[in-house]
Amino acid sequence: MTRQLMEEILTRRSVSARLLGDPGPDDAALEKILQGASRVPDHGKIHPWRFIVIRGEARETLGQVLRDAYHDQEAAPSPAKLDLEATRFTRAPLVIGVVSRIVSPHKIPEWEQTLSVGAVCLNLLYSAHAMGFGANWITEWYAYHPKVRAALGLAENEKIAGFVYIGTASMKPEDRPRPALGEVVSEWRAPLG
Ligand SMILES: Cc1cc2nc3c(=O)[nH]c(=O)nc-3n(C[C@H](O)[C@H](O)[C@H](O)COP(=O)(O)O)c2cc1C
């Protein structure tokens, strides 16, 4: 079991949203995935995050908000580009918006709350993977657009930490380069003398 889990950790890869098709998780699988995602270190037990589930026709409705928002921010977008923006959420059967809701002021520093939200996103990837699905944690431009924020019902103190696209992977991605441990690891030793 331990060896299997380590193998998963050492081989997991994100699968691009456009390569995530049907079937997506059913209600029971979704609940498990969200429970798995919620099991993260959380200093102060304040769970400074929440999930927004986007699936079914809601993906298209929200896509129209993206189309509008894109129209606002670009001088003269082509109809083809607008169509593409409108279909972003339909790339996968399920999208989970992970929202950070930093509690401030609070004795737990904002930085630590933010780290907990990142842990949720990664756990969401692992939980989806463990349930046999591919997943992709992305933000793209629309995570930051005021119209999209409003449509999602985000409060002032809330931010999109990621849209995690989940579905059945249509292909297995190649591995990608990882930093050599020598680049990221050092060992602290007491100074001589
Ligand atoms: C907060 C955050 C936001 C990201 N947003 C994007 C994005 O908008 N577009 C993109 O192509 N990749 C984005 N990525 C990177 C993807 O998750 C990418 O698929 C990942 O780095 C692949 O690595 P993996 O196979 O090790 O999971 C983002 C990553 C993080 C942590």
Side-chain angles (χ1 to χ4, degrees):
M1 177 59 193
T2 309
R3 216 174 289 151
Q4 240 176 30
L5 182 58
M6 196 63 215
E7 188 58 24
E8 290 294 321
I9 291 171
L10 288 172
T11 58
R12 184 206 56 81
R13 277 249 36 215
S14 294
V15 179
S16 172
R18 67 193 156 75
L19 299 174
L20 295 171
D22 286 321
D26 61 16
D27 285 353
L30 173 59
E31 194 176 328
K32 251 193 181 161
I33 288 170
L34 293 174
Q35 277 169 346
S38 305
R39 282 191 73 98
V40 292
D42 165 17
H43 194 180
K45 297 193 263 313
I46 49 179
H47 50 86
W49 29 264
R50 65 184 180 96
F51 302 103
I52 302 176
V53 174
I54 305 158
R55 57 182 165 169
E57 282 175 17
R59 296 170 305 157
E60 281 145 47
T61 312
L62 201 51
Q64 292 310 317
V65 177
L66 261 57
R67 178 197 286 272
D68 263 18
Y70 193 79
H71 207 288
D72 281 0
Q73 69 178 24
E74 297 296 316
S78 69
K81 183 70 174 127
L82 287 172
D83 286 348
L84 186 142
E85 297 303 337
T87 55
R88 285 198 184 262
F89 286 114
T90 51
R91 283 174 293 182
L94 171 69
V95 186
I96 311 279
V98 181
V99 178
S100 77
R101 33 168 224 99
I102 301 299
V103 187
S104 174
H106 195 280
K107 65 177 184 209
I108 305 300
E110 286 185 28
W111 170 232
E112 296 189 14
Q113 297 184 41
T114 305
L115 292 172
S116 182
V117 184
V120 166
C121 293
L122 182 61
N123 246 21
L124 192 46
L125 295 184
Y126 275 117
S127 298
H129 192 64
M131 293 294 286
F133 299 99
N136 195 191
W137 171 6
I138 52 182
T139 42
E140 301 186 312
W141 64 270
Y142 47 92
Y144 305 98
H145 198 283
K147 270 194 174 169
V148 179
R149 285 179 52 88
L152 288 168
L154 298 196
E156 275 287 290
N157 69 326
E158 293 186 322
K159 283 186 193 149
I160 291 291
F163 290 107
V164 178
Y165 285 70
I166 299 175
T168 299
S170 59
M171 63 177 271
K172 193 174 176 321
E174 303 261 293
D175 204 1
R176 70 170 176 87
R178 309 284 163 178
L181 288 186
E183 287 175 40
V184 293
V185 180
S186 61
E187 183 167 345
W188 186 84
R189 290 191 176 87
L192 291 176

